[in-house]
Amino acid sequence: MQSPGTTAIFGSYVLSEQEGRPVVLRDRWVLTEGRRIAAITESRPDGAGTVLDAPGRFVLPGLLNLHNHCFSEAVARTHTEDGAGRKNNQSIVYTVLLPLTKRGIEILSREERLAIARLGILQLLSGGATTVMEPFRNGIPEMFDAAEEMGIRFYGAPYLFSTADAKAGQDGRVTYAGDDGAADLARWNELHTTWEGRDSGRIRLAMSPHATDTCGPDLLRTLAARARELGVPITTHLAQSRGEVATIRSRYDRTPAEYLDWLGLLAPDLLAAHCVDSTDDDLRLMASRGATVLNCPRVFARAGTTAAFGRFAGHGVRTLIGTDGYNMDLLGEMNAAAMISKIVSGKAETAASGEIIAAVTTGAAAAITRPDLGRICPGATADLTVIDLSHPHLQPLHDPRRALVWLANRGNVDAVMVDGRLLLQGGRYLHGDPAAITEAGVAAIRRIWDLPEARAAFEG
């Protein structure tokens, strides 16, 4: 992409900080120079190459979405709602997501896989995210190509498995096969050599053992040691289904959280997705170890499960919000996290707007040890998300933070900047044709949908 220039953005509201605490400033300009925020001023800066000067904008730190799946959830979309694809009412991870993405990688060309990756990143940016952590099956290195090309801040997290062939039968029972750990780690190391630090650090890797039931003790210990040697975050799926919990109990007489703690993975560098079947004791253990929960409420709500942000946070666990690829509207996901928490707790003050916003800004940046992200202040990295609060459904307006969480959605995303480069303006992606990107991605996904095993997976 082109080198970043100088941009001045006017905000009727700017989410900044004073003495380390969030504060909303009124009628300020945010000036970016190169990859950094240069100043926040009351008067319009002189000499900016690009000026965004529209009323009613809320300028936020770039939003971080630290759990998403561009490829696998695209395969499932509009096929698995209303209980479809759930054999014996079990998780679709082993009936749909893992087997069909594996087949998709086998049948699709590099260009088709790249088309799906581009479509996902377009949706992420349009949903307000500037940073994504993206776990995906080994065999889709095109995720890195698309991220580099389209400008998003990207933590690629290729899966590593002890058993990559886990799949569920008609009764919902999961069988595990294969021994893929050594090959997966070799491939991960190759990708790290190729991609880590590209474009002044915009492209990075995370270590991503798939889940507790698909990764054995030796592999998990090896991966944790390698991640800590390199200083990369570790992310995995944890207690995402009752089946996973039962499997780990039968193998090791532990809960999934206890299993990771036994192996030394339950630590401040661990970002654990979902945790919906964790016990209260598990959550207290995670809090004591400094681990992070990645809460993706809507993907579970579609199956009638309440993944409540407030439950995790209420146990003292650092809790962030991700989209899981199901619906890459990060603003909508924030709303769901707050709404479901209030319903579950019966308390209106649970998961308040400020806490929800911190979960995709300062809290998320802290979880990946990036104090330069998630903040608007001089010297911070120039990642910004700009929301148009002038829409009728956001008016009249008293508190922009409450408006953001309770009333806004992806349709209000006006501009997105990453590393000082404007990627979206007026809600439209600037560096490609959104219609063409969408058409190519959909065509590739439909090739997977046409497979006989896909039609079988989506039944019942």
Side-chain angles (χ1 to χ4, degrees), residues 68-287:
N68 186 73
H69 306 295
C70 286
F71 193 100
S72 61
E73 278 291 343
V75 172
R77 188 171 290 170
T78 71
H79 276 95
T80 54
E81 295 82 0
D82 303 325
R86 295 182 182 276
K87 309 299 183 187
N88 200 30
N89 200 34
Q90 297 298 308
S91 167
I92 66 168
V93 171
Y94 303 111
T95 60
V96 174
L97 302 182
L98 286 181
L100 292 187
T101 53
K102 186 173 187 293
R103 283 291 290 130
I105 291 168
E106 293 168 354
I107 68 165
L108 297 180
S109 67
R110 181 186 185 282
E111 190 57 38
E112 287 170 322
R113 294 192 300 267
L114 183 59
I116 295 171
R118 287 179 178 133
L119 175 59
I121 290 171
L122 176 64
Q123 292 175 66
L124 286 163
L125 292 169
S126 300
T130 58
T131 295
V132 66
M133 185 173 288
E134 176 77 17
F136 54 91
R137 264 194 181 274
N138 245 326
I140 320 173
E142 294 81 13
M143 286 301 315
F144 288 100
D145 296 282
E148 183 182 44
E149 167 194 312
M150 296 183 72
I152 199 167
R153 186 172 304 283
F154 189 72
Y155 281 78
Y159 284 143
L160 301 102
F161 292 91
S162 296
T163 173
D165 252 347
K167 61 182 67 174
Q170 289 296 322
D171 61 356
R173 186 182 300 275
V174 179
T175 58
Y176 300 86
D179 185 3
D180 309 276
D184 284 351
L185 181 54
R187 181 62 178 139
W188 189 95
N189 284 327
E190 291 173 3
L191 290 167
H192 184 271
T193 298
T194 302
W195 288 102
E196 176 70 11
R198 283 277 191 101
D199 192 22
S200 299
R202 181 171 61 83
I203 308 295
R204 296 200 59 196
L205 272 79
M207 187 67 75
S208 184
H210 171 259
T212 62
D213 59 331
T214 55
C215 294
D218 290 344
L219 180 62
L220 286 169
R221 289 191 183 103
T222 297
L223 300 184
R226 180 62 172 151
R228 289 161 184 166
E229 174 190 356
L230 295 171
V232 303
I234 304 169
T235 190
T236 193
H237 296 92
L238 176 64
Q240 65 176 332
S241 69
R242 291 189 298 273
E244 176 197 344
V245 173
T247 296
I248 298 304
R249 176 64 70 187
S250 68
R251 289 178 185 169
Y252 307 108
D253 195 27
R254 291 174 165 90
T255 67
E258 291 168 342
Y259 173 60
L260 293 186
D261 191 47
W262 171 52
L263 299 173
L265 271 78
L266 213 61
D269 57 357
L270 179 72
L271 290 80
H274 308 321
C275 303
V276 292
D277 286 294
S278 296
T279 67
D280 290 349
D281 284 344
D282 288 334
L283 298 180
R284 283 187 281 267
L285 177 62
M286 293 182 72

Side-chain angles (χ1 to χ4, degrees), residues 338-357:
M339 184 79 74
I340 290 170
S341 295
K342 295 179 192 301
I343 292 169
V344 168
S345 69
K347 297 178 181 178
E349 63 272 17
T350 298
S353 300
E355 184 180 8
I356 292 293
I357 294 170

